[in-house]
Amino acid sequence: MRLSNPIALLCAALALVLAGCSGGGDDLVRVVFIGEPGELEESGLRLSPAGQHLRAATAEGLVALDASGGVVPAVAERWVVTDDGLSYIFRLRNSAWDDGEQIEAEEVRDELRTVLRRLQGTSLGRDLAKISEVRAMTGRVVEIRLTSPLPDLLQILAQPELGLRRGGAGMGPMAASRTEDGWLLEPRPPETRGLPEDPDWDERIRQVFVRVLPAREAVAAFDAGQADLVLNGTLANLPLADVGALSRGTVRLDAALGLFGLRVRSDEGLLADAARREALAMAIDRPQLLQPFNIGGWVPTTRIVAPGLPDDIGTIDERWSDLSLEERRALAARRIAGWLGEGEGRIARVTLALPPGPGSDLLFARLADDFAAIGVALDRVDDPEQADLVLVDRVARYGAARWFLNQFACPLRGGLCSPEADARVEEALSAQNAIVRAALYAEAEAELAASNVYIPIGAPIRWSLVRGGVQGFQENRWSIHPLLPLAMRPI
């Protein structure tokens, strides 16, 4: 990936230096992702949030996500879906690779097939398991065939990992150049991407500089005027957003869809029995758990699959709704006491791995109090591989039960799992009827819930710091904030 010419690169570098000295200007938008600096890479298939955004900016797929999280045309200018939902036919726009050669359907087909093979063994690969064939029909038409309808296929194809590349280089809406501590991105003129020419393009756009910093440094950079936008904030570091930054910008919360809870990794001792694992889940006071964070609108849940999704047929309810918190804890305490009384030397103690940060400290303190209420001591460890429980904090890629269930598939080996739940999900691969598929997913969720291999808490928290002059930022449930809209100058 490179800027269009050496002169542009020199000017961009000079602008970057001047912006760093002066606190920024109209010609540069400075974006910081919270994380570790090594995460700002867009190679491979397991991308960090920063890597996902960089990949999406430099290598478009057939479709992409816009600032609101909606699916929009990308390499494909339009598409049709057959009445049975088993075939998606994409018409490619008249665009070229970075070296000027035309993008042909055969190349797109081959790249998609390669990506699908490489994704096998990942949760995203499981999401795409219904694809049975990718065909090049003519020079600019590609067909994707499915084993059964997948209403969320376009949303999945819009994921950054499905960006099309040739020889490791993609043709995205932005050209990128590596700097010492980040990436400098320049929007490509629309006519280079097979789109109508915009005579005012140079006046409408500006460059974007992207880097990754630990949470405290990211917030400090924003507070000092050295960053216009901070992305990928989580509950672990949310308290830092209140330290000075509010005087210079705004904390924005995505109403994210996904998983936030505890995955059980150990099947020994106290956690060997599903009923005792359930005891831990029953002990948590979910409505009060995040009270110290003062997050308006956050809704706790005891369900694994987010309630109210389009394929939710209403057969799975919130758990223990007929019991008060005190009644739940009394039942849970009896189970723990019964296990302790069955053998000498037993200790009701479990370990939990959380990411570092003041938010994690608050969360741990609350969970420790909840578990103590049923006679279980909670210890914190740094290494997830050595923990009995690990925090799952993950934003969904699309809004269907299948995504949630795929996160706990046994082949992924992220912790305890349910082969019975996997079997129901596998059955749904070939089910043609939407109601039948939804019923199979409900059965799979019920199997997972009964096994108590995951303790749901609620939806994940994602926050950003956004300066007033930044255009193109919108909250959305996928916590994806494309870089190209951020490059637009304020009107």
Side-chain angles (χ1 to χ4, degrees):
M1 295 174 293
R2 57 185 184 278
L3 289 172
S4 53
N5 59 66
I7 295 177
L9 178 59
L10 178 61
C11 293
L14 178 60
L16 181 60
V17 171
L18 293 176
C21 296
S22 65
D26 291 340
D27 292 329
L28 188 70
V29 180
R30 297 145 311 160
V31 178
V32 175
F33 284 88
I34 292 177
E36 297 301 322
E39 294 178 0
L40 190 50
E41 298 295 339
E42 57 81 57
S43 60
L45 290 170
R46 298 180 184 272
L47 302 176
S48 68
Q52 287 181 323
H53 283 75
L54 185 60
R55 174 74 65 84
T58 57
E60 284 185 315
L62 289 171
V63 292
L65 298 177
D66 65 11
S68 67
V71 175
V72 294
V75 172
E77 62 184 3
R78 60 183 183 271
W79 54 87
V80 296
V81 185
T82 56
D83 291 340
D84 59 8
L86 297 180
S87 176
Y88 285 66
I89 301 172
F90 298 88
R91 173 77 176 183
L92 306 183
R93 71 185 183 212
N94 186 22
S95 56
W97 296 105
D98 198 29
D99 59 8
E101 288 193 20
Q102 193 78 11
I103 297 178
E104 300 288 349
E106 290 81 2
E107 294 174 304
V108 172
R109 173 202 63 198
D110 294 344
E111 176 63 13
L112 283 174
R113 287 176 175 176
T114 298
V115 171
L116 290 173
R117 285 195 300 270
R118 295 177 63 194
L119 282 170
Q120 291 179 2
T122 69
S123 59
L124 182 54
R126 295 183 65 86
D127 296 334
L128 292 161
K130 288 190 177 188
I131 295 180
S132 62
E133 187 178 4
V134 182
R135 301 173 60 228
M137 300 179 69
T138 68
R140 291 175 58 190
V141 178
V142 173
E143 180 188 22
I144 295 179
R145 292 183 174 180
L146 306 173
T147 58
S148 67
L150 181 57
D152 297 285
L153 178 63
L154 293 175
Q155 179 80 23
I156 303 173
L157 291 176
Q159 298 306 306
E161 290 83 351
L162 275 294
L164 300 172
R165 303 198 295 177
R166 186 177 69 168
M171 185 57 187
M174 308 183 82
S177 177
R178 195 75 161 93
T179 71
E180 183 177 350
D181 58 350
W183 288 87
L184 188 63
L185 294 102
E186 181 179 23
R188 297 180 188 268
E191 63 270 19
T192 68
R193 300 186 289 122
L195 300 172
E197 183 177 357
D198 182 349
D200 299 322
W201 182 252
D202 289 341
E203 287 70 39
R204 294 181 56 229
I205 58 93
R206 47 189 177 173
Q207 296 167 330
V208 177
F209 176 59
V210 179
R211 56 180 172 154
V212 176
L213 293 174
R216 290 185 185 277
E217 294 181 30
V219 174
F222 186 88
D223 195 41
Q226 298 170 356
D228 301 303
L229 182 66
V230 174
L231 298 173
N232 196 41
T234 67
L235 190 77
N237 41 56
L238 178 58
L240 298 176
D242 294 330
V243 184
L246 290 179
S247 64
R248 292 181 174 268
T250 305
V251 177
R252 307 277 286 272
L253 287 172
D254 288 317
L257 181 72
L259 292 166
F260 185 79
L262 308 179
R263 182 79 182 269
V264 181
R265 288 183 51 86
S266 173
D267 60 356
E268 299 179 351
L270 176 68
L271 299 175
D273 180 71
R276 293 193 296 273
R277 298 194 293 267
E278 183 186 27
L280 298 181
M282 296 169 73
I284 298 175
D285 185 357
R286 288 166 180 80
Q288 293 299 312
L289 190 64
L290 299 193
Q291 188 274 335
F293 300 91
N294 193 28
I295 302 172
W298 182 80
V299 179
T301 184
T302 59
R303 288 190 55 184
I304 298 168
V305 175
L309 296 180
D311 53 358
D312 186 348
I313 58 176
T315 59
I316 304 294
D317 296 322
E318 294 289 334
R319 303 181 74 181
W320 319 298
S321 57
D322 57 336
L323 299 176
S324 68
L325 176 63
E326 292 72 21
E327 290 171 329
R328 292 202 323 257
R329 285 180 170 175
L331 176 58
R334 288 196 295 272
R335 292 181 186 177
I336 301 301
W339 176 75
L340 288 171
E342 290 175 359
E344 294 184 5
R346 290 184 173 180
I347 300 175
R349 182 181 299 275
V350 295
T351 57
L352 169 64
L354 296 173
S360 292
D361 298 340
L362 291 171
L363 178 64
F364 176 80
R366 286 287 176 127
L367 287 171
D369 287 345
D370 287 346
F371 287 179
I374 64 169
V376 176
L378 183 65
D379 292 331
R380 186 171 174 181
V381 298
D382 296 327
D383 185 2
E385 296 294 328
Q386 303 300 318
D388 300 319
L389 307 170
V390 295
L391 180 70
V392 176
D393 185 0
R394 196 171 302 158
V395 178
R397 292 182 182 267
Y398 58 99
R402 182 176 178 79
W403 180 87
F404 290 84
L405 299 170
N406 280 341
Q407 307 310 302
F408 303 98
C410 294
L412 300 183
R413 301 183 182 278
L416 302 191
C417 64
S418 168
E420 294 79 11
D422 283 1
R424 301 293 83 74
V425 175
E426 190 70 21
E427 285 182 53
L429 281 176
S430 57
Q432 303 300 312
N433 183 279
I435 299 299
V436 172
R437 288 196 305 273
L440 288 168
Y441 292 146
E443 289 180 27
E445 183 182 359
E447 294 283 1
L448 272 174
S451 66
N452 290 290
V453 299
Y454 174 68
I455 300 174
I457 293 175
I461 303 297
R462 291 295 182 271
W463 59 270
S464 306
L465 296 176
V466 186
R467 205 169 297 286
V470 173
Q471 294 284 104
F473 175 93
Q474 294 185 47
E475 298 95 342
N476 62 79
R477 67 195 320 201
W478 319 118
S479 197
I480 290 288
H481 303 289
L483 299 177
L484 180 61
L486 301 176
M488 298 297 121
R489 294 182 185 274
I491 298 175

